[in-house]
Amino acid sequence: MEDIARLTQLSKMTVSRALTNSGYVSQEARDKVQAAASQLNYEFNFIGRQLTRNKTGLLGVITSFEGFVGTYYFGRIIEGLQQGLAGTDYHLTLYDSSSESFNDGQKCAKLCHQRRVDGLAVIAPHTDDDFIKTFSDLQVPIIVIGGSPIHKTISYIDVDNFGGAYAATEHLIHLGHKKIGFIAGLANLSDARQRQEAFEKAMADHKLPVKPSWIIEGKYQTRLAFHGCLDLLSQDDRPTAIFASNDLMALGVMDAARTLGLKIPEDLSLVGFDDIRGADMTTPPLTTVHQPSYQFGKTSAQYLLKTITGADGNGVLREKLPAELVIRASTMTLGMHQKAKR
Amino acid sequence: MEDIARLTQLSKMTVSRALTNSGYVSQEARDKVQAAASQLNYEFNFIGRQLTRNKTGLLGVITSFEGFVGTYYFGRIIEGLQQGLAGTDYHLTLYDSSSESFNDGQKCAKLCHQRRVDGLAVIAPHTDDDFIKTFSDLQVPIIVIGGSPIHKTISYIDVDNFGGAYAATEHLIHLGHKKIGFIAGLANLSDARQRQEAFEKAMADHKLPVKPSWIIEGKYQTRLAFHGCLDLLSQDDRPTAIFASNDLMALGVMDAARTLGLKIPEDLSLVGFDDIRGADMTTPPLTTVHQPSYQFGKTSAQYLLKTITGADGNGVLREKLPAELVIRASTMTLGMHQKAKR
DNA sequence: CTGTTAGCGCCTTCAT
DNA sequence: ATGAAGGCGCTAACAG
């Protein structure tokens, strides 16, 4: 940059201003600088700016690489984040919480701090409060995606898991189902717990029994749901509908039903949760609860930017997006099929 | 850092050395520095180091956010990269080639340069030569993942698409199949072209005809493969086996077969490519060609590190990993089923 | 609209 | 084993 100042007979300062389009610079000066810059093959160096501003223009995305990064959910969040960052000078860096999260992520938090990330987006599953606390102590804007930390000062964007699961259950109930099974997710994740509680609440509200033997542990995995359902659906007294608390497990249910010769939705109605890619392409297309993951990302980026620039008076964002039930073809009115046949 | 120098009565320099474990520092000094550091709540600031060293410790991952980031393939690569970086001070930053790739990625390349990333990993699909050229001009170590750029000086790590597809086709042929259909991927991606060429070569080598009407365009998408196969498999003269050039499309074939009441593998043998997550959990488990994406990431990270530190005399890495055929239950000997029935 | 001064936090180099 | 000086590339703050 000094070189171009020399070449143009201008001060470094004017050059800086011209290059970054900031402050007042005459058109003449601007042109000269541009010319000299391209002649010298000059490229702006962010590191200098970072040092003076003590800002990196980097947002840290903290997530578990193993089992999360390859996920449709994660992908949509990243797309959303990127979209929210479009047109700014901010970029995303990845931090793996699973490899560094020993002692509540302290190592990871330290790294983020040392590297001076300007903001942090923490993606589940690490939304337990100790972990979050470690990061919120960093004095950097932070938002939790897909979780709802208890501490009132920590921002988050989440989906209304309870509401979505309640709606899904009620959808089955309205269809006339009374014998409804449930495939549970990972017990230590709060979203999984909320979905299960909503299921139980909906059943209770409609005075329907919840048979413990109709609740199976799927741990959010297709395979476990598959095997669990093989047993469940082989029983004489089997449910006429199943609510799988995520789509991956719903796929397992589909496989199990198919294996046993049960037709969906004629013999078994099925609702999932997430609306993953391809959920509209299963046979039959899956009725499920849509997870607004793209919106998570976009909103998070916008929130972080606002908070970083202080435009928002560093308010706290605690938002639960509504969970929309998407009705496709894996659910039908109980008995409809038999009646039609007769 | 100056504060802690003052507190310890040592020079900034000694403090620096103590903090970074470099050079000679007496144990006594080291201890004093540690104590003062924690007392002052000091945190090392990477930005300063970056400026002096003109190195950021950041590796850029360039990929198309849309349609790639949420992918199992991508996830495994990232896991591999992270693993290769474990124990170092390097981190990953994401650059979206799809939003910035106009004019052959120049905008994206510029960003990477301005931010002074120390190395670059370019993940397909942007492996066309103009695009790569733009980045390789950056004078930064670069490696292309999942592509094989022509230019001899550009490093890449890829899988032997041709060999894998050839083996997959031959597997079907050895099973006695003569009427084999092919589901093609995205015509503008070189891996897709290679897989198709290998299919045609294997057929030719075994003097088997390739019927144009048995080749359908799936564009790597489940849905398109599904619809294409619905037609294909409804024909009177239909193939007894299908090679889908990726697993996603193989899923579409499965759905189509099921819809038409055809049993896999009894009525139709099916081979995929990629070995995506869950490929072992389909019904039946899918025979496919394994894509070593984790290894891609790990090898890439190691290569970049070596090249950055100059430990490798900046050699070029051009490696095609062998593609391993994983035989599961979606393929069987032609006619075996009928014979068994009789 | 333009220039001067000074400094961000660390590290390289050389001297002690 | 430690210290002093200076600079990396940019920009804030103020002066002209």
Side-chain angles (χ1 to χ4, degrees):
Chain A
M1 198 164 97
E2 232 170 56
D3 298 342
I4 123 166
R6 204 175 309 118
L7 195 70
T8 56
Q9 306 273 38
L10 289 164
S11 76
K12 238 170 45 172
M13 209 43 236
T14 312
V15 173
S16 168
R17 282 192 268 253
L19 254 19
T20 58
N21 294 313
S22 59
Y24 299 105
V25 185
S26 70
Q27 191 55 47
E28 185 191 7
R30 202 180 298 273
D31 292 342
K32 274 204 283 189
V33 170
Q34 297 292 2
S38 66
Q39 183 193 326
L40 292 170
N41 236 309
Y42 166 86
E43 271 296 352
F44 185 84
N45 184 338
F46 259 88
I47 309 179
R49 170 180 292 188
Q50 289 174 201
L51 189 57
T52 38
R53 304 235 254 239
N54 197 27
K55 291 232 144 60
T56 51
L58 256 23
L59 298 188
V61 175
I62 298 170
T63 193
S64 164
F65 281 23
E66 192 186 331
F68 248 93
V69 169
T71 259
Y72 179 62
Y73 176 68
F74 175 83
R76 291 295 289 166
I77 291 175
I78 294 291
E79 282 182 54
L81 282 167
Q82 179 72 14
Q83 186 57 40
L85 258 34
T88 72
D89 266 340
Y90 284 86
H91 287 275
L92 300 174
T93 48
L94 260 28
Y95 289 92
D96 184 8
S97 59
S98 53
S99 84
E100 326 251 24
S101 74
F102 320 112
N103 21 59
D104 302 326
Q106 303 220 0
K107 219 165 158 186
C108 187
K110 192 169 177 171
L111 274 172
C112 294
H113 187 197
Q114 292 186 340
R115 285 215 168 251
R116 300 296 193 270
V117 297
D118 293 344
L120 245 26
V122 180
I123 303 179
H126 294 287
T127 47
D128 44 284
D129 291 301
D130 282 348
F131 186 85
I132 296 302
K133 185 69 170 45
T134 307
F135 284 90
S136 65
D137 285 346
L138 251 36
Q139 304 292 24
V140 157
I142 185 172
I143 185 166
V144 174
I145 297 181
S148 312
I150 298 172
H151 201 34
K152 290 278 183 292
T153 61
I154 296 175
S155 295
Y156 70 79
I157 176 96
D158 199 359
V159 69
D160 181 5
N161 283 289
F162 191 94
Y166 195 94
T169 311
E170 236 182 3
H171 169 61
L172 293 173
I173 295 172
H174 289 334
L175 252 25
H177 294 278
K178 296 187 190 317
K179 295 156 70 175
I180 306 178
F182 181 80
I183 321 285
L186 277 166
N188 58 335
L189 296 186
S190 71
D191 55 6
R193 285 198 303 272
Q194 283 168 41
R195 291 174 198 180
Q196 179 157 3
E197 281 162 18
F199 166 74
E200 288 166 359
K201 181 72 160 46
M203 294 295 276
D205 287 353
H206 289 272
K207 310 238 178 340
L208 258 22
V210 173
K211 273 186 76 164
S213 64
W214 287 354
I215 295 186
I216 76 182
E217 295 294 327
K219 299 195 175 176
Y220 279 160
Q221 292 169 32
T222 304
R223 159 172 268 142
L224 285 174
F226 173 75
H227 288 120
C229 272
L230 240 33
D231 294 342
L232 175 62
L233 296 175
S234 307
Q235 298 172 11
D236 278 344
D237 186 28
R238 59 171 181 76
T240 61
I242 286 182
F243 173 26
S245 61
N246 81 351
D247 287 354
L248 252 23
M249 298 192 298
L251 296 180
V253 177
M254 280 191 175
D255 288 344
R258 193 146 43 222
T259 304
L260 297 171
L262 295 174
K263 280 225 146 88
I264 294 175
E266 292 83 350
D267 303 319
L268 181 74
S269 278
L270 175 64
V271 185
F273 202 117
D274 280 352
D275 196 17
I276 59 175
R277 172 157 44 201
D280 58 337
M281 269 299 297
T282 52
T283 33
L286 185 64
T287 293
T288 188
V289 179
H290 182 72
Q291 174 109 253
S293 33
Y294 179 83
Q295 196 56 46
F296 282 179
K298 190 160 177 187
T299 304
S300 299
Q302 288 165 343
Y303 166 76
L304 290 176
L305 289 180
K306 244 191 263 168
T307 310
I308 289 167
T309 58
D312 196 37
N314 73 10
V316 171
L317 177 75
R318 312 194 99 221
E319 190 171 352
K320 278 209 186 181
L321 264 23
E324 185 201 351
L325 179 68
V326 183
I327 298 175
R328 288 198 273 250
S330 69
T331 48
M332 70 182 289
T333 305
L334 180 67
M336 181 89 113
H337 183 57
Q338 281 85 344
K339 277 178 209 146
K341 271 207 230 167
R342 282 172 206 162
Chain B
M1 199 165 95
E2 233 172 55
D3 299 342
I4 123 168
R6 205 175 309 119
L7 195 70
T8 55
Q9 304 275 38
L10 290 163
S11 77
K12 239 169 45 170
M13 215 37 245
T14 313
V15 173
S16 169
R17 283 194 266 255
L19 254 18
T20 58
N21 295 313
S22 58
Y24 299 104
V25 184
S26 69
Q27 191 54 47
E28 186 191 5
R30 202 180 298 273
D31 292 342
K32 273 204 283 188
V33 169
Q34 297 292 3
S38 66
Q39 185 193 326
L40 292 168
N41 236 309
Y42 167 84
E43 270 298 351
F44 186 84
N45 184 339
F46 259 89
I47 307 179
R49 168 180 294 189
Q50 289 174 201
L51 189 58
T52 39
R53 305 235 253 238
N54 197 28
K55 291 231 146 55
T56 51
L58 256 24
L59 299 188
V61 175
I62 298 171
T63 193
S64 164
F65 281 23
E66 193 185 331
F68 249 94
V69 169
T71 259
Y72 179 62
Y73 175 69
F74 174 83
R76 291 296 290 167
I77 291 175
I78 294 291
E79 282 181 53
L81 282 167
Q82 178 72 15
Q83 186 57 40
L85 259 34
T88 72
D89 265 340
Y90 284 86
H91 287 274
L92 301 174
T93 45
L94 260 27
Y95 288 92
D96 184 8
S97 60
S98 53
S99 83
E100 327 252 24
S101 74
F102 319 111
N103 18 61
D104 301 325
Q106 303 221 0
K107 219 165 158 185
C108 187
K110 193 169 177 171
L111 275 173
C112 294
H113 187 196
Q114 293 186 341
R115 285 216 168 250
R116 300 294 193 270
V117 297
D118 293 343
L120 245 24
V122 180
I123 303 180
H126 294 287
T127 48
D128 45 284
D129 292 299
D130 282 347
F131 186 85
I132 297 302
K133 185 70 171 43
T134 307
F135 284 90
S136 64
D137 285 347
L138 252 33
Q139 304 293 22
V140 157
I142 185 172
I143 185 165
V144 174
I145 296 182
S148 312
I150 298 171
H151 201 33
K152 291 279 183 291
T153 61
I154 295 175
S155 295
Y156 70 76
I157 176 96
D158 200 359
V159 70
D160 181 5
N161 282 289
F162 191 95
Y166 195 95
T169 311
E170 237 183 0
H171 169 61
L172 293 173
I173 296 173
H174 289 332
L175 253 24
H177 294 278
K178 296 185 191 317
K179 297 156 69 174
I180 305 178
F182 180 79
I183 322 286
L186 276 166
N188 58 336
L189 297 186
S190 71
D191 55 6
R193 285 197 304 272
Q194 283 169 41
R195 292 174 197 180
Q196 180 158 3
E197 281 162 18
F199 166 74
E200 289 167 357
K201 181 70 160 48
M203 294 294 277
D205 286 353
H206 289 271
K207 310 238 180 336
L208 258 20
V210 172
K211 275 188 73 165
S213 65
W214 288 352
I215 295 186
I216 75 182
E217 296 293 328
K219 300 197 174 175
Y220 279 161
Q221 291 169 33
T222 304
R223 159 172 269 142
L224 284 174
F226 173 75
H227 288 118
C229 272
L230 239 32
D231 293 344
L232 175 61
L233 296 175
S234 307
Q235 298 172 11
D236 279 345
D237 186 27
R238 58 168 182 80
T240 62
I242 286 182
F243 172 28
S245 61
N246 81 351
D247 287 353
L248 251 23
M249 297 192 298
L251 296 179
V253 177
M254 279 193 175
D255 288 343
R258 193 144 43 221
T259 303
L260 297 171
L262 295 175
K263 280 225 147 88
I264 293 176
E266 291 84 350
D267 303 320
L268 181 75
S269 277
L270 176 64
V271 185
F273 201 116
D274 281 352
D275 196 17
I276 59 174
R277 171 156 45 200
D280 58 337
M281 267 301 294
T282 53
T283 33
L286 185 66
T287 294
T288 188
V289 179
H290 182 74
Q291 174 109 254
S293 33
Y294 179 83
Q295 196 56 45
F296 283 179
K298 190 161 178 185
T299 304
S300 299
Q302 288 165 344
Y303 166 76
L304 289 175
L305 289 180
K306 245 192 259 166
T307 311
I308 289 168
T309 59
D312 196 37
N314 72 10
V316 171
L317 177 76
R318 311 195 101 220
E319 189 170 353
K320 277 209 186 181
L321 265 24
E324 183 203 351
L325 179 68
V326 183
I327 298 174
R328 288 199 272 249
S330 68
T331 48
M332 70 182 287
T333 305
L334 180 69
M336 181 88 115
H337 183 58
Q338 281 86 342
K339 278 179 210 148
K341 269 205 226 161
R342 281 174 207 159

